[in-house]
Amino acid sequence: MLVGALFVVGCGDSDAAPGAGPPDAGSDALIESGTAGSTGADSGLDAPSSKHVFQRVVLHSEFYSEGAHAADIDQDGTLDVIAGPYWYAGPDFVARHQIYAPTPFDPKGYSDNFFAFPHDFNQDGWVDVLVIGFPGKGARWYQNPKTAAGVWLRHDVVPVVDTESPTFVDLTGDGKPELVCASGGRLGYATPDWSAPEKPWVFHTLSPPGPYQAFTHGFGVGDLSGDGRLDVLEATGSFTQPAALGGDPNWARTPQAFGGGGAQMFAADLDADGDMDVITSLAAHGYGVAWFEKTASGYQQHLLSGEAPADAPGGVVLHEPHAVALGDMDGDTLPDVVTGERFWGHVPAGDPSFTDPAKLYWFRLVRSGQGAHFEPQLIDDASGVGTQVEIVDVDKNGLGDVVVANKKGAFVFLHFTQPVGSR
């Protein structure tokens, strides 16, 4: 485990901001990567008294996975980080424990671990880990052995998981999560028999056959209709969850273009006008991150990042924004966006050098009398995203930390605040 630079971004205006720190910054380099962009005449906020600092923790530098997450694996009350074949014990992430036999992959190819989702599948009180492999391949979960040196039993449960941003969430509202994805050309969700979750899961279709396959980009869930039930979103429209799911009915589809096929998709009332907006990237292997404002006449696209600096208000350009997360980063209860560049998302024929930067950003949601807008803040310029990026308050200081794994390794970015003017 390596502790890297501290990245400093100026935002926030609280005199008693959560997450004061970081502890013992020592001689780590400070990189000023932003100004107090969240203040000004349009926001009505005073000049900030604190700045946001990110401490990069390098878990490993090998390419094992493009998915990572966090959970309390060993029941010690602190969150640990799951990255590829290992889990790293919090709060310092020094101790590394094996989940399955590690196999480093060539960064010019792909891994067998694109997503990791923690959950107690066998309901024994210990968190297990669901791993989704290469698109079109299967999903398996590893059973927590309850001891650091124990063997994690592998259970293969779903033979085919299609789309490049499947998710594991309580879609149906029954209090238990489902694996939401596509299979056999249809959208749907896979559910275990919770009395025997190691047995093959059942795939429930929600759409007729369509163009949904292993490499479908742009997919997610959110209550787009505002009826309290989660709907399924994809790049060309949405599927509204019906009141009853018995017999696996087809969900009503509403056509709507949300980009050309990006990453994870979310629905949230970003501008506080009472209806649900959509957040996603526009092209997983191109450029563009946007939110789509619901209006009386449809959806209006607002860019957070474009193909050129002039395209978006903050001037941020991100190549291959292949993973997006939505969550509260700064403790103001508003949903912020975290995304970045997936380095070598395709085999790097003609792509940048592996030593080139891969940027990771958070976009802070600001509401004002003029509506809502996002302000970009650099987290790091030497990591980027993989196919999954997660916002988790790993150190429980009230600020969102970022967990990510990709072809450059696996990282935790611990989020603190410092007084303006400090180093």
Side-chain angles (χ1 to χ4, degrees):
M1 185 277 294
L2 301 174
V3 177
L6 299 179
F7 282 73
V8 182
V9 295
C11 65
D13 65 325
S14 65
D15 291 323
D24 188 21
S27 60
D28 289 333
L30 289 175
I31 300 177
E32 298 284 349
S33 56
T35 58
S38 61
T39 64
D42 63 333
S43 66
L45 299 177
D46 296 328
S49 60
S50 63
K51 59 188 177 184
H52 289 257
V53 178
F54 290 89
Q55 183 175 14
R56 183 203 298 125
V57 180
V58 181
L59 302 176
H60 55 248
S61 299
E62 299 84 5
F63 173 37
Y64 289 114
S65 71
E66 293 198 71
H69 218 304
D72 185 2
I73 296 294
D74 54 0
Q75 290 195 351
D76 66 351
T78 62
L79 291 182
D80 313 301
V81 171
I82 305 153
Y86 299 109
W87 67 272
Y88 294 81
D92 57 13
F93 314 110
V94 173
R96 182 172 78 174
H97 306 281
Q98 183 173 303
I99 298 174
Y100 58 87
T103 301
F105 293 89
D106 183 346
K108 294 182 179 179
Y110 299 98
S111 76
D112 62 356
N113 184 329
F114 272 53
F115 299 88
F117 296 103
H119 187 75
D120 179 10
F121 288 100
N122 58 352
Q123 303 173 70
D124 63 353
W126 293 77
V127 174
D128 311 301
V129 178
L130 175 69
V131 172
I132 300 171
F134 186 82
K137 303 296 184 181
R140 70 267 189 192
W141 67 271
Y142 293 90
Q143 184 174 328
N144 193 327
K146 306 179 186 179
T147 62
V151 175
W152 292 65
L153 296 179
R154 171 174 170 160
H155 304 287
D156 293 277
V157 290
V158 182
V160 175
V161 179
D162 286 341
T163 81
E164 292 209 26
S165 53
T167 190
F168 189 63
V169 66
D170 181 9
L171 175 68
T172 63
D174 64 352
K176 296 182 181 297
E178 294 88 23
L179 175 53
V180 189
C181 59
S183 186
R186 304 176 73 175
L187 300 180
Y189 53 96
T191 61
D193 174 355
W194 287 103
S195 65
E198 72 281 0
K199 294 182 179 179
W201 296 6
V202 175
F203 185 74
H204 302 268
T205 61
L206 63 84
S207 77
Y212 310 113
Q213 39 84 21
F215 306 113
T216 293
H217 292 85
F219 187 69
V221 301
D223 182 12
L224 197 58
S225 60
D227 61 3
R229 295 186 291 268
L230 291 180
D231 309 308
V232 169
L233 317 176
E234 50 99 356
T236 66
S238 63
F239 290 81
T240 302
Q241 182 172 168
L245 297 175
D248 295 342
N250 286 335
W251 298 14
R253 181 177 184 273
T254 302
Q256 173 65 47
F258 295 114
Q264 288 83 358
M265 301 178 67
F266 304 92
D269 185 6
L270 299 176
D271 50 5
D273 65 352
D275 54 32
M276 304 297 278
D277 312 301
V278 172
I279 310 95
T280 189
S281 62
L282 303 182
H285 296 283
Y287 297 88
V289 180
W291 71 282
F292 293 81
E293 178 185 1
K294 180 68 180 296
T295 69
S297 59
Y299 288 89
Q300 181 180 355
Q301 176 181 293
H302 303 275
L303 284 176
L304 283 66
S305 171
E307 190 169 352
D311 291 344
V316 174
V317 175
L318 297 173
H319 179 244
E320 294 197 72
H322 208 299
V324 177
L326 184 71
D328 181 10
M329 284 290 290
D330 55 358
D332 65 357
T333 74
L334 300 182
D336 307 305
V337 173
V338 172
T339 187
E341 296 174 312
R342 182 191 180 199
F343 210 79
W344 283 5
H346 281 160
V347 175
D351 279 2
S353 165
F354 192 68
T355 60
D356 283 357
K359 298 184 289 293
L360 179 66
Y361 268 85
W362 69 291
F363 293 81
R364 182 173 186 257
L365 173 60
V366 178
R367 291 173 178 163
S368 68
Q370 288 73 44
H373 68 276
F374 285 88
E375 296 177 344
Q377 307 288 347
L378 179 69
I379 297 175
D380 187 57
D381 64 358
S383 55
V385 298
T387 49
Q388 178 183 22
V389 59
E390 296 292 341
I391 301 170
V392 184
D393 186 5
V394 174
D395 53 10
K396 301 182 181 179
N397 70 346
L399 297 173
D401 308 306
V402 178
V403 179
V404 67
N406 52 45
K407 295 185 178 185
K408 288 181 177 285
F411 310 87
V412 181
F413 294 93
L414 299 176
H415 188 182
F416 308 95
T417 57
Q418 288 182 341
V420 169
S422 65
R423 295 289 296 179

